[in-house]
Amino acid sequence: MNSTAESRLQDLPILNTRLHYMDNLRALAMLAGVFFHGALAYSPMLHSLWPAADAQQSPIVDYIVWFTHLFRMPLFFLIAGFFVAYLVQKRGMGSMLKNRALRILLPLIIFLPLCIWAVIAPLLAAVPSVHAKSPVMEMIVTAMANPGTPPPPPTTMHLWFLYNLVFFCVLTWVLHYVNWQWLRAYFNQITPALFLAIFPLLLVPALLSVAAPLPAPDSFLPQLWSFGFFGLFFALGYWIFSTENFIDRFKSYGFMLLIMSVVLYIIFYWLIPKHFILGPSPLVFWKKLAVALCETYISVWMSLACLVWGKTYLNVHNRFMRFMSDSSYWIYIVHLPLIFALQYPMMDKDWSLLAKYSATMTLTLAVGVLSYLLLVRWTPIGWMLNGRR
């Protein structure tokens, strides 16, 4: 950008204002992922696929966690797109790519191998010592007894969101040279009610090709459906940044969106198989279409409701929330190895489900926060994740 354009951009209020509600919503979305993953050990739906699946299960876990799952990551990618647009407008496309390479690509390169090791090592240690083995542990025992068993495909694990964000940022740079003014002009004129009806339909084709509830696109081979789903949320956030008063237009819809999303979730949960199945959906087409429609409308409506409530109630400077916003990135990176390492010894304990879950979450968050304070906050790791303070 030339100096005159940069000067005009610096005068825009949004470029010189700390967007506390966006920071806080992003932190809450990431921390919700910690609680989500901690609960999966007690999910009947994921019992056959979760390494630390406990003998104690409850359908109540599924009722709760899969609802938040449908909009937690869509909201995160929407906010990620918003902040990428912020960086482009404030610093330029080149500086955005440099910033995202430091904040996203470098952490992925550094922490993914460490997280894979930190997940595999406790699992292999737990296999011979845990008596109440999960189905995944039983599969590992069988694989160990048959040396010719092929290894599982490489995975990006819970850091798949970083892997996807790298692609989305590169696509932002590529598509920056395309003239999208006609599309922007159309969406700028659309009414809130029409947007709520139409935009979710754009996401349906992506979800028709995957299992339900929507899985994590954690393969090293880019999952095209995630570009058509999470990528569109990223694009939505990018567009919201430059659309005046977009969130304010939905203020009167917040509570209604929650009610309608809950109704759709009841239908969604009634239709889906109660045991998660990898690969093509076993549902007939009309059921698969109904499930995909429920997923897309819930994800869009609840993401918008969260933006409305976030701007209303979380747009304040709060020392606790600022600390959680700063630390949430690190906590999310380390949380999955911690959860597994804590849950394996508990699998043979005669504790209640609630006691196991509470202990897991308390210790995971405690270790995450303490390690952030001691090892990250004032160190080069913290500068890499959050920038210099």
Side-chain angles (χ1 to χ4, degrees):
M1 286 188 298
N2 59 48
S3 58
T4 304
E6 288 179 349
S7 177
R8 288 199 302 268
L9 288 172
Q10 294 298 328
D11 292 335
L12 293 175
I14 193 173
L15 296 179
N16 299 288
T17 303
R18 182 81 185 189
L19 302 172
H20 298 294
Y21 74 100
M22 283 291 189
D23 284 333
N24 293 336
L25 281 173
R26 179 170 55 185
L28 290 174
M30 299 193 81
L31 293 175
V34 178
F35 286 92
F36 170 74
H37 288 140
L40 292 183
Y42 316 104
S43 162
M45 191 179 298
L46 218 66
H47 183 74
S48 62
L49 298 174
W50 196 247
D54 199 274
Q56 295 192 58
Q57 306 165 49
S58 173
I60 296 176
V61 173
D62 284 335
Y63 297 153
I64 297 172
V65 301
W66 294 111
F67 179 67
T68 61
H69 174 70
L70 294 181
F71 63 89
R72 173 180 58 86
M73 291 310 295
L75 175 64
F76 172 85
F77 278 102
L78 187 155
I79 295 171
F82 182 94
F83 278 118
V84 164
Y86 180 98
L87 286 170
V88 170
Q89 291 298 313
K90 188 169 187 177
R91 303 182 187 177
M93 187 64 68
S95 293
M96 181 278 289
L97 291 174
K98 182 179 178 181
N99 178 279
R100 297 296 89 177
L102 178 62
R103 302 279 186 271
I104 296 172
L105 180 59
L106 189 57
L108 177 65
I109 294 172
I110 293 174
F111 292 115
L112 180 58
L114 296 175
C115 285
I116 291 175
W117 173 83
V119 166
I120 292 177
L123 175 58
L124 294 180
V127 166
S129 61
V130 172
H131 297 292
K133 290 181 175 58
S134 66
V136 171
M137 286 181 169
E138 296 289 359
M139 289 173 59
I140 293 175
V141 170
T142 303
M144 287 178 170
N146 297 276
T149 303
T155 174
T156 54
M157 291 188 11
H158 64 299
L159 301 187
W160 63 266
F161 74 102
L162 296 178
Y163 189 68
N164 276 253
L165 280 177
V166 170
F167 286 101
F168 296 164
C169 290
V170 171
L171 281 173
T172 299
W173 168 61
V174 173
L175 296 176
H176 183 68
Y177 297 99
V178 178
N179 185 359
W180 297 99
Q181 292 304 317
W182 63 273
L183 186 61
R184 183 184 299 276
Y186 173 77
F187 273 107
N188 285 345
Q189 296 174 3
I190 196 170
T191 64
L194 194 58
F195 178 86
L196 293 172
I198 291 178
F199 184 77
L201 296 177
L202 302 179
L203 308 168
V204 172
L207 294 190
L208 283 174
S209 63
V210 293
L214 57 98
D218 56 0
S219 168
F220 264 105
L221 184 66
Q223 304 292 290
L224 294 182
W225 75 265
S226 70
F227 286 66
F229 186 73
F230 296 115
L232 285 183
F233 277 100
F234 181 90
L236 175 61
Y238 195 96
W239 170 60
I240 287 175
F241 173 81
S242 58
T243 305
E244 187 176 3
N245 299 323
F246 177 88
I247 298 174
D248 294 334
R249 299 177 194 175
F250 295 88
K251 266 191 172 181
S252 61
Y253 290 84
F255 185 71
M256 180 190 70
L257 292 176
L258 172 61
I259 297 299
M260 292 194 303
S261 296
V262 170
V263 172
L264 286 182
Y265 182 68
I266 293 171
I267 299 171
F268 163 83
Y269 194 84
W270 174 63
L271 289 174
I272 61 171
K274 298 307 178 281
H275 295 283
F276 189 85
I277 300 172
L278 291 175
S281 173
L283 299 175
V284 296
F285 178 76
W286 75 266
K287 282 190 176 181
K288 179 61 180 174
L289 178 61
V291 166
L293 286 168
C294 290
E295 287 180 302
T296 57
Y297 277 95
I298 292 171
S299 62
V300 173
W301 290 352
M302 285 304 302
S303 294
L304 290 174
C306 289
L307 288 177
V308 168
W309 296 328
K311 192 171 184 180
T312 302
Y313 301 110
L314 298 177
N315 199 26
V316 292
H317 177 67
N318 179 290
R319 293 183 65 182
F320 173 76
M321 284 304 300
R322 178 60 190 275
F323 176 80
M324 295 310 298
S325 177
D326 290 340
S327 62
S328 60
Y329 192 178
W330 168 255
I331 292 173
Y332 193 84
I333 288 174
V334 301
H335 84 278
L336 197 60
L338 289 173
I339 285 175
F340 283 141
L342 290 167
Q343 287 182 336
Y344 292 138
M346 294 185 193
M347 293 172 70
D348 287 333
K349 301 290 184 184
D350 189 22
W351 298 357
S352 69
L353 185 157
L354 184 59
K356 291 182 178 181
Y357 181 67
S358 299
T360 301
M361 289 298 94
T362 301
L363 291 172
T364 297
L365 292 176
V367 173
V369 169
L370 286 175
S371 60
Y372 174 75
L373 286 171
L374 297 175
L375 304 175
V376 177
R377 188 170 174 83
W378 307 106
T379 70
I381 300 175
W383 304 338
M384 174 180 63
L385 298 179
N386 299 315
R388 290 181 180 269
R389 301 190 61 75

